[in-house]
Amino acid sequence: MTTQTDSPVLVSVRHHTGVLELNRPRALNSLNPEMIGIITRALEQWRDDDSVAQVLITSVSPKAFCAGGDVRHVRDGILAGKEEEMDRFFSDEYSMNHMIASYPKPYVAVLDGIVMGGGLGVSAHGSHRVITERAWASMPEMAIGYITDVGISYASQRWPGSSPAMGAFIGLTGYRLTEADMMEVGLATHLIDDAGDFIEDLVGLGVDNALDEHTIEVEEDARLAGWRDDIEATFSHGSWADIDAALDAHGNQEFVQEVRALMAKGSPSATVATAELYAANRSAADLRAGLDNEERLGELLRRQPDFLEGVRAVLIDKTQDAEFTPAHEPAVYREVLR
Ligand code: QUE
C-alpha cells in the first residue's frame, strides 16, 4: 500500500514497518477528516498483516509534527449548519486515538517539532513517544474556547511522571512543554539525537535496536520539575473556582503570575468546562470512557459562541482579540459528564 505524493498522509510499508507521514505542511499538518480516514484504514489493515511488525508516524517537514485538528474546517462546517457532520469528524478522531492506545504492535511516534492538540492524539497514546531536542508540546484549546481532548484529559493525568494536578495544569494553562518537560512528565518515552538517522535504524533494525543506538540523556532542567509542589498545591482541586481560589491563596507569587499570564487569553467557559472534564476523567474507568466524556462535552462547547470566536481570533484573523462570553456555571457541563 503506497499513497500518491499529494495525499495529506503518505502511507507505505518499508521493510517490516508501516509508515505514516503527515503531509500537509502548509497547515502544520493539522488533521482533517481525510487524514483521520487514511490513518484509521492503514492501522486497521496493518493490525492483521503479519508482514508489518511495527508502525511509525512522523511528519514530512521537520518544523511541525502536527498543530492539532483542522478547526478552521470545523468552524466553516458549523457556520454552514453542518454540526452533525463535524460531530462525526471528532467522533472518528477519538476512535482513532483509542485504536492507537490499544494497538497490538509497537506504535512509534517521532516528534521533531511542534506538537499540539490533535497532534498529541496521534502520538501520545502510542507505545513509543520518541522526541528530539527540537520538539515541544502544548494543549492550547482554552485559547479557542474548546476543551482538552483527543484523550489527553485522561492520559495526561496518568503518564508515569504526571498526576491529576499536573495533567490539569497542562490542559488549563496551555503551557508549552520543552523536551525536558516532556520527558519529566512521561509524555515522551525517549529522547534521541537525530530523527532521520533514528528512522533509518528503526526501519532497518527494529525499534529496540534503534533506541539503543540513538537515545541520549536530557541535558536541560525541566521547569515542570521545579513547579511540582506549586502545581500539586493549586491544580489538584476539582472545579475551576477551587483552583482559582487556591492560586489566589498560593505563596509562590512567581508561579501564580506565570499561570495567570498563560491563562489570560483563555475562554472562561472553556476553563470551567475543562476543569470539570479533568475532575470526571480522574476517575474514568478507561481511555474510552474518558474519550466519551470529551465527545459529549466537545459537542456542547462547539455549539457555544466562544468556539467560533476563538478560532476566528487565533487562526483566521490572527488578531488574538477574542471577545469571550462570561463563564458558565459548572452545572451545565457536569450534566454531560459521567
Ligand atoms: C488551539 C488549537 C489549535 C490551534 C491553536 C490554538 C488547533 C490547530 C491550530 C493550527 C495551527 C496552525 C495551522 C492550522 C491549525 O492551532 O487545533 O491549520 O496552520 O489545528 O490556540 O486547538
Side-chain angles (χ1 to χ4, degrees), residues 287-298:
L287 175 63
R288 187 63 257 181
L291 287 162
D292 289 343
N293 274 332
E294 291 175 354
E295 193 165 331
R296 287 189 300 267
L297 191 60

Side-chain angles (χ1 to χ4, degrees), residues 1-3 9-22 35-58 96 99-100 102-108 122 202-203:
M1 175 179 16
T2 303
T3 44
V9 183
L10 306 181
V11 180
S12 61
V13 175
R14 292 181 58 192
H15 201 45
H16 296 293
T17 303
V19 180
L20 299 166
E21 282 177 283
L22 303 177
M35 296 163 80
I36 303 297
I38 294 170
I39 295 168
T40 300
R41 283 192 298 277
L43 291 177
E44 282 171 348
Q45 190 169 333
W46 291 336
R47 195 166 42 196
D48 305 315
D49 181 342
D50 288 341
S51 71
V52 173
Q54 57 184 9
V55 172
L56 163 68
I57 185 163
T58 181
M96 175 194 69
M99 190 191 301
I100 292 167
S102 53
Y103 209 64
K105 300 177 183 186
Y107 181 100
V108 185
V122 288
L202 176 75
V203 169

